[in-house]
Amino acid sequence: MIFLWRRRRAGHGGARKDECLDMELSIPTHFHCPISLDLMKDPVTLCTGITYDRESIEKWIDAGNKTCPVTNQVLRSFDQIPNHTIRKMIQDWCVENKAYGIERIPTPRIPITPYDVLEICSRIEASRQHDAKKCLDLVRKMKNLAKESQRNKRCIVQNGAGCALAACFEFFASFSIEEYTDLLKEILSALAWTFPLGEKGKSKLGSAISLRCIALFLKGDDLSSRKHAILVLKELVSEDQSFVNSLMEIEGIVEALVQIVKLPICPTATKACLVVIYHMTLSENSEMITLKFVEIGLIPYILEILVDGDKSICQKSLGILDSISSRDQGREGLYKNALTMPLLVKKILRVSDTATQFVVSILWKLCMGENENAVVEVMQLGAFEKLLVFLQVGCGERTKSKVTELLKLMNLYKDEFECFASSAGFKFLKRSN
């Protein structure tokens, strides 16, 4: 590998202009990582005797590879031994070439081991019985270790840290949320990235005590805590639909969710909130919860973020609208909004196949109830041509059936629409049947 550098040399005698010289600086071959070909920052040696940069070889192994990239030998062990000799040689070489703009690589921290994680978890378990401050320090230590590298974070998640944190969260929430607010917020922020929790962890975090505490933070003024709360709720309801029913029993939870959609904290929190709302509209009490969402005014806010949302937000938003449109109150709320039809038609074939399928489902529910005005409006917006293209491109049988029914329905009202589709389109429709 070669670094290009430019050095400015002042002329003798004072008043001469600086001269710029292009020079090349070669890195010793054994300082390269065989995978990335970059200068190694944290060299480690495998059982085959070949040295790699830790980040590169971890990505290689995490991808499912079980051989040495250089020798192609099957790895008898995945242990990565730090090569302190090479690392010190690289650091010395960086110092020697400092004048050429080469910065010395820092000495890497030693990655944590499963034993380290288990020890921290056991200390958290012990400290919660006696010392909340010590527990707070341990949680912060765990978060700092996770920030050091993705490897540390994976190690923490895979060795039961989430379960220990969930148990700790429930324990202190059961005593006094006001007294242990700082500790509970720290635990909640750590729980946001420690899923999956396991059955025991889910039962602790999904208990009535824990859910009420999470909801309290969700309804609070601290934006960071609100973000962590919605991320945790998203993971909980995604893993187990039964938590939705418990969540809906908490007073003010629907208003808190709508508030996040209305005044977004960040895209991540918005997406998580949409997932939670979607699961709630699919629950056993969906009719009651849909009515509540409609009454509070969720539909205008969903349509607003649908205007310029990214692919993920659009799909989740359309999924919610599809679920809401299954109810009479939802369909009524959707049709009353002037943005509904233009936005739905606009999103056909513009976002993804999943999004288009949601749009087809929503339009089908809005138009099949003998709503003549809805049919004529989507025709005027150019829905026929787009649906015809979608049918030609190909879709699932269930979606195809809805598209076909929509096109036939539009045909019934063609006299009320001057610029309707060509007869060729209907010939295709007949062939598709």
Side-chain angles (χ1 to χ4, degrees):
M1 180 181 290
I2 294 175
F3 276 122
L4 289 178
W5 66 281
R6 177 164 289 182
R7 187 181 181 186
R8 194 177 292 273
R9 185 178 66 182
H12 298 288
R16 297 173 57 187
K17 293 183 178 180
D18 293 342
E19 297 178 5
C20 292
L21 301 177
D22 285 336
M23 300 182 66
E24 293 180 351
L25 181 64
S26 299
I27 300 177
T29 305
H30 54 291
F31 290 176
H32 297 170
C33 172
I35 297 176
S36 67
L37 301 181
D38 292 332
L39 182 68
M40 290 187 287
K41 298 178 181 179
D42 187 6
V44 293
T45 303
L46 298 185
C47 59
T48 56
I50 307 299
T51 298
Y52 302 91
D53 193 41
R54 186 187 296 275
E55 182 180 358
S56 298
I57 194 60
E58 283 183 348
K59 288 181 180 178
W60 170 268
I61 294 174
D62 289 343
N65 298 295
K66 299 181 179 179
T67 59
C68 175
V70 172
T71 65
N72 205 32
Q73 295 177 1
V74 176
L75 297 173
R76 301 186 306 275
S77 169
F78 294 109
D79 293 341
Q80 301 164 21
I81 311 301
N83 193 328
H84 298 296
T85 302
I86 289 292
R87 190 252 309 155
K88 192 173 186 310
M89 290 171 63
I90 293 174
Q91 288 177 326
D92 292 342
W93 178 83
C94 291
V95 172
E96 291 172 3
N97 294 279
K98 182 179 180 180
Y100 302 146
I102 307 299
E103 296 182 0
R104 179 182 181 275
I105 62 170
T107 301
R109 294 178 179 270
I110 300 175
I112 60 173
T113 64
Y115 174 80
D116 297 326
V117 178
L118 293 175
E119 182 182 10
I120 294 175
C121 291
S122 63
R123 290 172 64 188
I124 289 176
E125 180 74 20
S127 65
R128 80 181 193 192
Q129 303 290 342
H130 307 95
D131 191 349
K133 186 178 183 305
K134 185 176 181 181
C135 186
L136 177 62
D137 293 338
L138 289 169
V139 174
R140 286 173 174 169
K141 178 181 179 181
M142 182 182 290
K143 290 174 61 179
N144 290 333
L145 289 171
K147 290 177 182 178
E148 289 181 5
S149 67
Q150 285 298 318
R151 184 185 187 280
N152 281 0
K153 180 178 285 189
R154 285 196 302 271
C155 187
I156 290 172
V157 173
Q158 293 169 0
N159 288 278
C163 183
L165 291 171
C168 191
F169 186 86
E170 183 192 41
F171 179 83
F172 285 103
S174 65
F175 279 92
S176 173
I177 297 176
E178 292 76 14
E179 182 178 353
Y180 300 114
T181 297
D182 292 341
L183 173 58
L184 290 169
K185 286 181 177 181
E186 287 290 343
I187 297 175
L188 193 64
S189 67
L191 282 168
W193 51 265
T194 53
F195 280 80
L197 303 177
E199 290 303 319
K200 182 180 178 182
K202 284 195 299 183
S203 66
K204 294 291 184 182
L205 197 59
S207 67
I209 293 173
S210 296
L211 287 177
R212 280 198 298 268
C213 182
I214 295 172
L216 188 64
F217 288 133
L218 188 67
K219 294 183 284 186
D221 297 326
D222 188 336
L223 294 182
S224 180
S225 296
R226 291 175 64 200
K227 174 186 174 182
H228 296 144
I230 194 61
L231 291 176
V232 169
L233 288 179
K234 173 239 180 183
E235 296 293 342
L236 272 178
V237 300
S238 297
E239 288 192 5
D240 194 335
Q241 183 74 16
S242 64
F243 292 124
V244 173
N245 296 329
S246 301
L247 192 62
M248 290 192 299
E249 295 175 359
I250 301 175
E251 184 179 356
I253 192 67
V254 171
E255 291 81 356
L257 292 171
V258 173
Q259 189 68 14
I260 292 180
V261 178
K262 178 182 178 181
L263 301 173
I265 300 171
C266 66
T268 303
T270 300
K271 293 172 185 178
C273 185
L274 294 175
V275 171
V276 175
I277 293 174
Y278 179 70
H279 282 282
M280 292 179 73
T281 58
L282 294 177
S283 65
E284 297 175 355
N285 300 319
S286 59
E287 185 171 1
M288 178 191 70
I289 202 70
T290 297
L291 177 60
K292 196 164 186 179
F293 275 126
V294 173
E295 289 177 346
I296 292 176
L298 175 65
I299 291 176
Y301 302 135
I302 292 290
L303 292 173
E304 186 176 338
I305 64 174
L306 189 60
V307 173
D308 55 0
D310 60 22
K311 177 181 176 180
S312 178
I313 286 181
C314 285
Q315 288 185 167
K316 292 175 174 61
S317 299
L318 289 169
I320 292 173
L321 295 182
D322 181 37
S323 182
I324 287 178
S325 63
S326 299
R327 304 294 177 183
D328 293 337
Q329 304 93 332
R331 289 193 293 272
E332 184 180 352
L334 278 169
Y335 187 70
K336 282 182 178 179
N337 194 296
L339 278 177
T340 299
M341 293 305 187
L343 271 177
L344 291 177
V345 174
K346 180 181 179 181
K347 295 301 178 181
I348 298 176
L349 300 173
R350 291 282 296 271
V351 181
S352 66
D353 287 344
T354 301
T356 301
Q357 289 171 12
F358 279 136
V359 171
V360 169
S361 179
I362 298 168
L363 291 177
W364 182 81
K365 293 170 186 174
L366 291 175
C367 295
M368 294 307 292
E370 298 183 358
N371 190 336
E372 179 180 336
N373 293 332
V375 177
V376 173
E377 184 177 357
V378 295
M379 289 164 59
Q380 292 172 337
L381 292 167
F384 178 82
E385 291 81 1
K386 289 188 173 184
L387 290 175
L388 189 60
V389 171
F390 184 55
L391 197 62
Q392 291 173 320
V393 170
C395 54
E397 287 300 320
R398 188 174 179 181
T399 303
K400 181 179 179 181
S401 174
K402 291 180 178 179
V403 172
T404 303
E405 288 184 33
L406 280 171
L407 293 175
K408 286 182 177 180
L409 187 60
M410 292 179 190
N411 189 29
L412 297 176
Y413 294 97
K414 61 181 180 180
D415 294 336
E416 299 181 33
F417 182 55
E418 298 178 356
C419 302
F420 197 58
S422 65
S423 59
F426 288 101
K427 289 180 181 178
F428 175 84
L429 179 58
K430 292 178 181 178
R431 289 199 304 271
S432 68
N433 293 329

